[in-house]
Amino acid sequence: MSKEHPWEDGGEILAIQSRQIDYTKPLPGTYLTTGIRAQRGYRLGKFCMTLMAPDNRELFKADAEKYMRDFGLTDYEKELVRSKNWNRMLRYGVNTFMILKLSNAMGVSQNHTGAGMRNQSYEDFMATRNSKGAQ
Amino acid sequence: MSKEHPWEDGGEILAIQSRQIDYTKPLPGTYLTTGIRAQRGYRLGKFCMTLMAPDNRELFKADAEKYMRDFGLTDYEKELVRSKNWNRMLRYGVNTFMILKLSNAMGVSQNHTGAGMRNQSYEDFMATRNSKGAQ
Amino acid sequence: MARIIGGLGSPHAPSIGTATDKDQEQSPEWKPLFDGYAPIRQWLDVQKPDLILMIYNDHANTFFFDKYPTFAISVAAEHEIADEGWGKRPLEPIPGNPQIAWQLAHSLVDQEFDMAVCQEMPLDHGCLTPMSCFFPPAKRWDVPLIPICVNVLQPPIPTAMRCFKLGQAIRKAVEAMPQDLRIVIAGTGGLTHQLGGERYGHTNTEWDQKILDLMETDPLALANMTHQELMERGGAEGVEIIMWLVMRGALSPKVDCIHRNYYLPMVTGFAQVIYEEPDNRRRNSGDAA
Amino acid sequence: MARIIGGLGSPHAPSIGTATDKDQEQSPEWKPLFDGYAPIRQWLDVQKPDLILMIYNDHANTFFFDKYPTFAISVAAEHEIADEGWGKRPLEPIPGNPQIAWQLAHSLVDQEFDMAVCQEMPLDHGCLTPMSCFFPPAKRWDVPLIPICVNVLQPPIPTAMRCFKLGQAIRKAVEAMPQDLRIVIAGTGGLTHQLGGERYGHTNTEWDQKILDLMETDPLALANMTHQELMERGGAEGVEIIMWLVMRGALSPKVDCIHRNYYLPMVTGFAQVIYEEPDNRRRNSGDAA
Ligand SMILES: [Fe+3]
Ligand SMILES: [Fe+3]
C-alpha cells in the first residue's frame, strides 16, 4: 500500500456509518464517491465537467498540459489524467460520470474505458457480450 | 383591474391548493412569489441577479437601457424597472430579495425601497420606527 | 379529478437515444429492444394521457456536486436539451406543465418531501432516452412532461423505501387535483449495470427477472432492500431501479402488467413494462358505471 | 459519543454585520442588540464547542430559483464569503468539518430527509451575521461550521413541523456519532419582519414575546402552526422562525433558557437566546457522575 497515497490500492475504508451501505465492506471493484473520497476528487471532477463545453474540449485536445495547468490541477492529478488509468481516478474520488466526460474528451469510447477498467483488451471484453452492435 | 395585466391590482389569486397557505385569501400588501407569479417574474428576477456582479452594476449604471436590452427584457419589464414601482414588480412576480438587488444597483437603500412600498416618504416611514440608527 | 392511469418502466441508456437518432431502431442488434417499445407507443396512442411524470436521474449534466439535490422537480414551461459533452441530441425543447408542476411541488413539500424546485432544468439522457422512445418523431411533443430527478449518482442517495413513499405522495397529490387529467408516470433506468471499476460490465439476468417479478407483485420486498443488496446483485448503477419504485409507489397495490420485455445486449439489462391501473382497464372496457 | 450541548437563537439581518464591520457595536442604537450577544460570546468561550451547526437561509446569493433546494447541507472544507451585490464582508473563509458533515448528510438522508448535499456553499448574511456576532475578531474562526440551509424565500417552503422533525433527526444523527464532540446548534433569522409589499415594516412585539415563550416551553405549539398563521402575525419574512424550530427540535423537551434578549429598532424583532441542555448544566456544575 502506498503510504503517501493510501487510496491507491483500492482498499480504502470510508469513515461513514450508514444503514444502506456498509462502507467497511466495499464491493470488490467498486468505488463509491462519497465522504473523504468525494472531497479529495472534487477538483478533478470539476475539471472533467469543464470538458462538456466544445470550446474547452478543443483547447484540451490542442494542449492538454496547458489546459490542466490553467485549471490548477495538482501534479498528482495531472499525472492521473495522463495515465488514463480510470480505476485510479475512481479510487482518488472522481465519480464515474465525470470520468466518462474525460475519456470522451480523450477520444476513448465508453466500452473501451470499461475494458480498461476490467484490465482487458477491448476485444476480450467484447467477446464476453451478447451483442456487439447495440452499444 | 387591468385586463391586459390582471396582476396589476394586486388581487391575483394563485391557483394553488396548500395546507400551509390559503392562496384564495392573500395577506393584504403581501405578494408571495410562487406558481404562475413566479413563472411570470422569472426572467426579470434573473435580470436582477446579474446585478450582484460589480462589473454588471457598472454597465447598468452607465446605460440602463442598453443593459436591459442586451439582457432581453420585454418592453413591459423595462418599463417596470424604470418605474421603480417595487410593489408592481412584486405583483408581477419578482421576489423581494431580487428587488433588493435591483434597488441597490439603482442606488436606493432598503428602507427607502420599503418606504416606497408603503407609499410613504422616507421621513414619514422613519418616524414610525423606534430607532433611526440601527438600520 | 386527476388520476394516474398507469405506469411505464424503461431503460434510459444514452446509446438507445443514439440508435433512435441514427435510424437504427430496426437494425438486428436494436430490434429486440425497440420491439419492446411498440406496445408502449401503441398504448400511449390509445390512452392519450394529458401528462407524463418522468422519474429519472441526472448524470451530472444538469446538476453538479457543488449542490446536488436528492429529489428535484421541474416547474419549467419548457425543457432544454442538455449538451452532455458530445453535442445536443436533435430534439426540440420539451414542454412542461407549470401549473400542475407547482401544485405538485406544493403538495409534495406539504407532505414532507424536501424537493428542490427548478424553474430551469435542461434534460439529459436519463429523461430524453425514454421520451424519444415513448414518442416517435411524429408524436413529439404532444404530451407535456414533468421531470422528477432522483440522486443515484453519489451517496447519500435516497433509500428504496423513501422512493416508494415519494410515489405514494405523488399519487395523493394527483388525486387531490380538481382538474380532469389522465396522467402516466414512468420509472427509468436500470436494470443491472455497473459503469465504474473492475466490476464494469457486471450483469445479472436472473436478478433482473426477479426485479421485474417483485416490481409487479411485491414492490415492498424491493423497497425494503438496502443499497448494498441492490448494488451487490445489480451493480453500482443497478441501484437506479429505486426510480422504478417511485413509479410503482404511485400505482395501486395490484396492477395489470400488460407488457413486459427484456433484452441484455451489452452492459445493461434493458426492461420495459406497462402497468395499467385496474380502474383504468375497467373504464376502458366499459365495465365502470 | 457526540452530543448537542445547547442551542442558540440569533437574528441574521445584514445590517447587524455592517454594524460589526464598521465598529458600531457600542453605538447607542446598536448597543441594546450587541449587549445581547455578550452572554453568548461568554458561554461559547467557556463551553468551547467543537462544532457549530448553523440553521440559516440563503437570500438568493448561493442558490437561485433555477434550482432551489428545500434543505441543503454543506460538506465543504471551507466556506467562501458571498458577494451579495454590495461587496464581500471583510471576513476570512470559514472552515467546515467534512467528515462530520458527510456523516450527518448520510444519516439525514437515511432518515428520509431529502437534503441537497453541497461541496461548495458560499455563505451570505443569513449565516455570516450570526457567525460574526458569536465570534468576535479574536475568535475567528476557532470553531468549524456546518451550515444547513432552509428555503424560506419562495413557497413551497417546508412546514414548521418538518423543520422541527429535521432538528430531531439531527440530534439522532449526532448521538450516533462515535466521536467525542460537543456541538452547538443555532437557529437564525426573524423574528417579526416583512420586506416586501405595502406591509413592509410590519412588526409585532407581542407576538415576538409569545414566540420566545413557546419556543422554550411548548415548541410543538409553534410547529403545528401553518405558514399562513405565522406570516399573518409575524410578516412574510417572519416565517424564518421555522429555522429556530430546527434548532429547538434538536434539543431536549425541557431546556434551560439561560439567556434571552429582545430589541426592535427598525423593521425586525431581534431576539437572542441560549438554551442549554440540562445534561450539560449538570456535567458542568459537577452534579453528574
Ligand atoms: Fe442512468
Ligand atoms: Fe433572512
Side-chain angles (χ1 to χ4, degrees), chain D residues 45-190:
Chain D
D45 233 20
V46 171
Q47 293 296 330
K48 296 197 197 332
D50 299 298
L51 183 67
I52 299 273
L53 293 179
M54 188 77 80
I55 316 301
Y56 86 107
N57 75 284
D58 161 69
H59 302 76
N61 294 304
T62 304
F63 301 97
F64 180 56
F65 297 132
D66 58 336
K67 305 178 179 79
Y68 214 85
T70 294
F71 293 136
I73 179 170
S74 165
V75 294
E78 200 170 76
H79 302 91
E80 289 297 325
I81 309 305
D83 183 345
E84 308 189 19
W86 32 87
K88 289 187 189 191
R89 285 189 63 190
L91 300 170
E92 292 298 309
I94 308 179
N97 185 330
Q99 202 197 330
I100 299 299
W102 278 107
Q103 177 61 61
L104 187 53
H106 272 79
S107 177
L108 291 176
V109 173
D110 280 359
Q111 290 183 70
E112 304 198 337
F113 287 80
D114 316 309
M115 313 302 290
V117 178
C118 304
Q119 293 193 240
E120 282 186 67
M121 197 196 261
L123 298 172
D124 79 2
H125 66 266
C127 190
L128 296 177
T129 293
M131 275 305 276
S132 69
C133 287
F134 294 170
F135 300 102
K139 306 279 176 183
R140 293 177 196 153
W141 300 113
D142 293 350
V143 184
L145 167 75
I146 298 180
I148 295 179
C149 184
V150 177
N151 171 26
V152 295
L153 235 56
Q154 179 160 291
I157 67 179
T159 67
M161 185 59 85
R162 181 65 171 169
C163 289
F164 189 77
K165 289 181 185 174
L166 174 61
Q168 293 178 312
I170 288 171
R171 187 188 182 102
K172 257 193 166 171
V174 164
E175 293 188 341
M177 291 178 188
Q179 296 93 335
D180 191 21
L181 292 173
R182 300 169 68 258
I183 298 175
V184 167
I185 183 166
T188 74

Side-chain angles (χ1 to χ4, degrees), chain B residues 35-52:
Chain B
I36 192 177
R37 189 183 283 147
Q39 191 191 345
R40 196 170 56 217
Y42 185 70
R43 188 194 302 108
L44 189 47
K46 206 167 165 176
F47 172 86
C48 297
M49 291 295 284
T50 66
L51 298 172
M52 283 165 74

Side-chain angles (χ1 to χ4, degrees), chain C residues 2-52:
Chain C
R3 61 196 175 86
I4 292 178
I5 61 170
L8 302 174
S10 170
H12 68 212
S15 57
I16 300 173
T18 308
T20 292
D21 294 342
K22 290 193 174 165
D23 221 357
Q24 296 172 340
E25 293 191 0
Q26 293 308 310
S27 74
E29 297 81 9
W30 282 111
K31 194 173 181 311
L33 176 79
F34 284 95
D35 282 354
Y37 282 114
I40 292 179
R41 291 174 180 179
Q42 200 184 345
W43 186 77
L44 288 169
D45 234 21
V46 171
Q47 294 295 331
K48 296 197 197 333
D50 300 298
L51 183 67
I52 300 273

Side-chain angles (χ1 to χ4, degrees), chain A residues 97, chain C residues 12 57 59 125-126 152 189-190 193 240 243:
Chain A
F97 293 94
Chain C
H12 68 212
N57 75 283
H59 302 76
H125 66 267
V152 295
H193 64 307
E240 284 186 351
M243 296 183 291

